[in-house]
Amino acid sequence: QVQSECDQFTMPQYRGLYVNSFQNILGNQINEDKLLNYAIANRYNYLTLYGVDGINFSNTTNTNNFAAFIKKAKTQYGILQIGVIGESSNFFLQTISPYNRLRTTSFEKVDVYKLEFEFWLTSSNVPGGVYCTKYLSRNGFSCDTTGGFKFYMQELKKIKNIAQQDGMLSEVYVGWFNLGQASQIVAVVDRVLLHCYRVSDSDIYQYAKTRMSYLGSNNKIVNVMPIFSSEPSFMGPYLNTNTITKPFSVFNNYYTVETAPWKSNINIIGYQWFKYSDMPVKSILSTYSTTVNFTTLDSVVI
């Protein structure tokens, strides 16, 4: 049954997986190969890495290991793109861009510069919140969601410029936003990943429809990927009896018959799953047997 579902499903351009605690995987050949075998078994072709900011890039061994991992992923496991995540532009300016510029082959380069800054979360932006303390107050922004969004847009524009200069893509993860914020975001980013964290596929499209209408209500084509979560509080239990391809299949079926005018500006290019250590061990390819061991990974909550 798993195999037949997979055969009937038309794979989209990008099938992404968030990889948490990558700093604990890099350099360990067993864990690297487990990750890449899991990716190829489930037809992922885009890996987004958490924890790269915890790697010391001034250490030549670390840098060489990072380049070797990316090259192996792209040349042996069918990975099309590698993305890394930062909360501000400094990480890309000081670490990722210099790394990429020293690489002589695209097979060793990071392809996607991704900003994750949850400006919509009141608790993170108010006085005493992590964003207020770490970014907003010290840079002259108000400690509220308004200041958080202004900082976010400042950093997004910087990241877009850095990525453009390096010949790479810029990307954002977004949760909740209004129409005005959507128009500013789509003006300066290559791809938008939209969270669709639900416990089943029953309303997976409806949950995102209003926000997609905001993204599409601008005179610009927007590349969009929905994000599904395999965390226990979301689709973890659902995945015990459903394949990882089904949520996107349901989502895309609704999108295909959508007739609203904003649809002409939305380009659904694939899907993303959060996160590696919560994904089911079983493969969507019934002919492939894998014994991925997640016990060495930290539990990371983003």
Side-chain angles (χ1 to χ4, degrees):
Q1 181 183 3
V2 172
Q3 185 66 52
S4 61
E5 278 190 47
C6 181
D7 289 342
Q8 294 169 15
F9 177 72
T10 301
M11 290 290 178
Q13 181 179 6
Y14 295 106
R15 289 92 63 187
L17 176 66
Y18 281 101
V19 181
N20 53 310
S21 299
F22 181 71
Q23 74 276 21
N24 296 336
I25 296 174
L26 183 65
N28 183 316
Q29 294 303 308
I30 293 176
N31 286 340
E32 285 187 10
D33 290 344
K34 284 178 179 176
L35 166 61
L36 294 173
N37 280 322
Y38 185 76
I40 198 171
N42 287 281
R43 297 188 178 179
Y44 291 111
N45 61 11
Y46 173 38
L47 299 181
T48 306
L49 310 178
Y50 283 107
V52 176
D53 56 344
I55 298 169
N56 180 8
F57 276 74
S58 63
N59 182 299
T60 303
T61 299
N62 290 342
T63 305
N64 290 341
N65 285 342
F66 190 58
F69 172 82
I70 297 176
K71 184 176 182 179
K72 178 168 60 174
K74 291 181 178 179
T75 60
Q76 298 179 38
Y77 290 88
I79 301 300
L80 298 180
Q81 294 181 338
I82 295 288
V84 297
I85 297 162
E87 288 184 338
S88 73
S89 61
N90 283 340
F91 170 60
F92 299 100
L93 181 65
Q94 298 172 6
T95 302
I96 301 304
S97 182
Y99 163 82
N100 264 358
R101 294 186 179 196
L102 289 174
R103 299 297 105 192
T104 58
T105 171
S106 62
F107 291 125
E108 296 179 347
K109 292 185 178 184
V110 172
D111 307 282
V112 182
Y113 298 3
K114 181 171 185 173
L115 174 64
E116 288 207 0
F117 186 97
E118 296 175 319
F119 62 84
W120 57 91
L121 290 183
T122 301
S123 59
S124 297
N125 291 282
V126 296
V130 61
Y131 290 159
C132 174
T133 303
K134 192 174 180 180
Y135 299 111
L136 303 182
S137 60
R138 65 176 58 185
N139 288 294
F141 293 91
S142 59
C143 283
D144 49 32
T145 53
T146 299
F149 182 70
K150 288 180 179 179
F151 175 80
Y152 172 90
M153 286 307 304
Q154 170 188 279
E155 298 306 294
L156 180 54
K157 290 174 183 177
K158 290 180 180 179
I159 291 170
K160 169 66 173 180
N161 288 336
I162 297 168
Q164 204 165 36
Q165 290 172 10
D166 292 349
M168 301 302 166
L169 296 173
S170 61
E171 184 177 277
V172 290
Y173 146 68
V174 286
W176 301 102
F177 51 89
N178 58 39
L179 179 60
Q181 290 170 334
S183 66
Q184 294 182 60
I185 292 170
V186 301
V188 292
V189 74
D190 295 309
R191 297 199 307 220
V192 175
L193 269 61
L194 188 65
H195 92 63
C196 297
Y197 290 6
R198 311 304 286 157
V199 298
S200 75
D201 58 42
S202 62
D203 65 345
I204 199 77
Y205 178 79
Q206 293 77 9
Y207 185 71
K209 182 175 177 177
T210 298
R211 287 172 292 149
M212 284 201 297
S213 75
Y214 293 162
L215 295 172
S217 296
N218 301 277
N219 191 26
K220 182 183 178 182
I221 303 297
V222 187
N223 292 318
V224 177
M225 296 170 65
I227 310 172
F228 312 123
S229 174
S230 60
E231 295 170 282
S233 56
F234 294 109
M235 280 188 169
Y238 167 95
L239 290 175
N240 290 330
T241 53
N242 294 275
T243 65
I244 65 168
T245 59
K246 189 181 177 186
F248 180 78
S249 180
V250 173
F251 182 98
N252 198 51
N253 286 342
Y254 277 106
Y255 172 76
T256 299
V257 299
E258 179 65 64
T259 58
W262 53 261
K263 180 185 176 182
S264 62
N265 289 325
I266 297 292
N267 183 27
I268 303 296
I269 61 173
Y271 62 84
Q272 187 97 359
W273 272 102
F274 178 87
K275 54 188 170 51
Y276 175 47
S277 63
D278 283 331
M279 296 303 294
V281 174
K282 67 180 180 180
S283 164
I284 64 172
L285 301 180
S286 61
T287 56
Y288 184 94
S289 175
T290 182
T291 54
V292 179
N293 181 358
F294 296 119
T295 59
T296 58
L297 295 178
D298 291 343
S299 176
V300 177
V301 177
I302 302 300

